[in-house]
Amino acid sequence: MAEFALIDLIRARCAVAREDVRLGIGDDAALLAVPAGQTLAVSTDTLVSGVHFPKDTAPFDIGWKSLAVNLSDLAAMGATPAWATLALTLPDADAAWTAAFADGFAVLAREFDLALVGGDTTQGPLSITVTVHGFVPESLALRRSGAKVGDAVFVTGTLGDAAAGLALLQGPGVAGKAQEHLLARLNRPTPRVAQGLLLRARAHACIDVSDGLVADLGHICHASAVGAEIDLTLLPASPALLGLVAAEARVPLQLAGGDDYELCFSAAPAIATELLNDLARSGCAATRIGRIVAEPGVRVRAADGSLVASPRPGWEHFSP
Ligand code: ADP
Ligand code: MG
């Protein structure tokens, strides 16, 4: 199949009509209208085969995940998704692979009313770069830099599932409902877009947990010139994780496991109850896990108040 047939295939499977797309796929550039009063939020993430997903991952899941991780960044800014571009590098022009990839991408594109407005298609080792564009009134955008001493720290959903799913894949084999849940969390993450919108004007700082809780909360602390203390016993765990992984082995997965794509945020303790109620009603409950303090760095405390030794830091490219 030739390059333009592949592009047509992707375009047909990902079709989402939006009035603000004045010119979509097919010209030298897309023409897009940003609504009055909104600021454009733009984010890019690349997924490289063998680095960001195992080489034998199903193409549907790769398509899903390549959009999900980008939507998660918009969620962390409190932005509403609108458009995406897709730079796809494929080893060969495999129509069946590309169709399945586009179908996975399209599930989330439809769910979040996101139009694919352009991209690039090239030959080479499998790699996917998605750029997403969303809208947020500038004064409402959630940044990493607003955390205040005395804030409570929260996280949506559960932690450690995706890392446990990856460990399962590298282990003896996968069978059963709990295993399937962990694998789905790895391969088909749920971007917390609705929750990000609920945090507008309420959270003081926000980030999505892509590299691990301690590492990503560390980014909030660094940007806000504060520190944080986390209570190990408060970290939310899924029934699947609790059922399959012993307590000790859960600790590094929950503190340093990547790929969960939950939102970690800080807010004034006075609004915690109302905020938690609203988030629970949105379909994804959040949990209060700690507090913002003046002393820099992220510290984790066990039930008896003792400090938990920091697990290996979150994922970093180029680290030795
Ligand atoms: P150009 O040569 O002008 O850069 P291309 O031939 O690369 O344009 O692409 C033709 C059209 O198809 C453009 O509108 C481009 O944005 C779009 N396109 C190319 N690859 C993809 C893709 N993987 N997904 C979505 N749109 C794509
Ligand atoms: Mg051109």
Side-chain angles (χ1 to χ4, degrees):
M1 193 175 238
E3 177 187 335
F4 293 105
L6 282 182
I7 296 171
D8 282 344
L9 188 161
I10 294 168
R11 176 190 198 169
R13 281 170 187 263
C14 296
V16 168
R18 286 182 63 104
E19 190 272 332
D20 52 18
V21 179
R22 303 296 155 76
L23 188 61
I25 293 172
D27 213 311
D28 292 310
L31 297 175
L32 308 167
V34 180
Q38 304 276 352
T39 297
L40 202 55
V42 180
S43 182
T44 296
D45 260 317
T46 294
L47 269 61
V48 176
S49 178
V51 178
H52 299 94
F53 55 85
K55 284 193 159 61
D56 56 359
T57 302
F60 183 97
D61 290 345
I62 298 171
W64 176 298
K65 190 163 182 172
S66 68
L67 184 51
V69 303
N70 277 279
L71 289 170
S72 177
D73 284 318
L74 289 182
M77 297 302 291
T80 309
W83 314 311
T85 57
L86 167 64
L88 193 55
T89 301
L90 299 171
D92 48 88
D94 181 337
W97 190 99
T98 305
F101 171 91
D103 286 344
F105 188 100
V107 172
L108 292 181
R110 293 208 178 89
E111 180 175 342
F112 294 101
D113 191 30
L114 173 135
L116 181 61
V117 297
D120 200 18
T121 305
T122 53
Q123 188 170 28
L126 180 60
S127 160
I128 302 105
T129 297
V130 173
T131 301
V132 282
H133 308 71
F135 306 142
V136 60
E138 189 175 342
S139 63
L140 298 184
L142 303 171
R143 301 164 194 240
R144 298 179 177 184
S145 54
K148 296 180 174 59
V149 173
D151 277 359
V153 176
F154 306 83
V155 70
T156 61
T158 58
L159 294 171
D161 293 330
L166 184 61
L168 279 176
L169 279 184
Q170 292 159 346
V174 177
K177 269 222 154 5
Q179 282 90 336
E180 273 166 30
H181 174 80
L182 298 179
L183 277 189
R185 291 273 290 158
L186 174 70
N187 289 326
R188 298 185 192 179
T190 307
R192 304 302 188 189
V193 172
Q195 290 69 38
L197 294 179
L198 281 176
L199 295 178
R200 281 181 178 182
R202 297 161 104 186
H204 290 155
C206 185
I207 192 168
D208 66 322
V209 182
S210 52
D211 296 332
L213 175 69
V214 171
D216 287 319
L217 178 55
H219 295 317
I220 284 185
C221 290
H222 184 76
S224 303
V226 295
E229 287 197 358
I230 296 301
D231 295 320
L232 189 62
T233 52
L234 297 182
L235 296 184
S238 68
L241 190 75
L242 291 172
L244 287 177
V245 184
E248 255 164 64
R250 281 200 300 272
V251 174
L253 299 177
Q254 293 211 281
L255 292 178
D259 268 2
D260 281 321
Y261 299 101
E262 298 294 349
L263 298 181
C264 177
F265 54 97
S266 87
I271 67 163
T273 306
E274 185 195 318
L275 196 53
L276 289 174
N277 283 339
D278 288 352
L279 288 165
R281 267 196 297 272
S282 78
C284 176
T287 307
R288 187 170 173 167
I289 58 170
R291 65 209 72 83
I292 297 293
V293 297
E295 192 190 333
V298 176
R299 284 164 300 282
V300 181
R301 293 201 184 275
D304 63 0
S306 63
L307 281 181
V308 177
S310 212
R312 64 162 183 81
W315 175 263
E316 247 188 84
H317 293 274
F318 305 114
S319 61

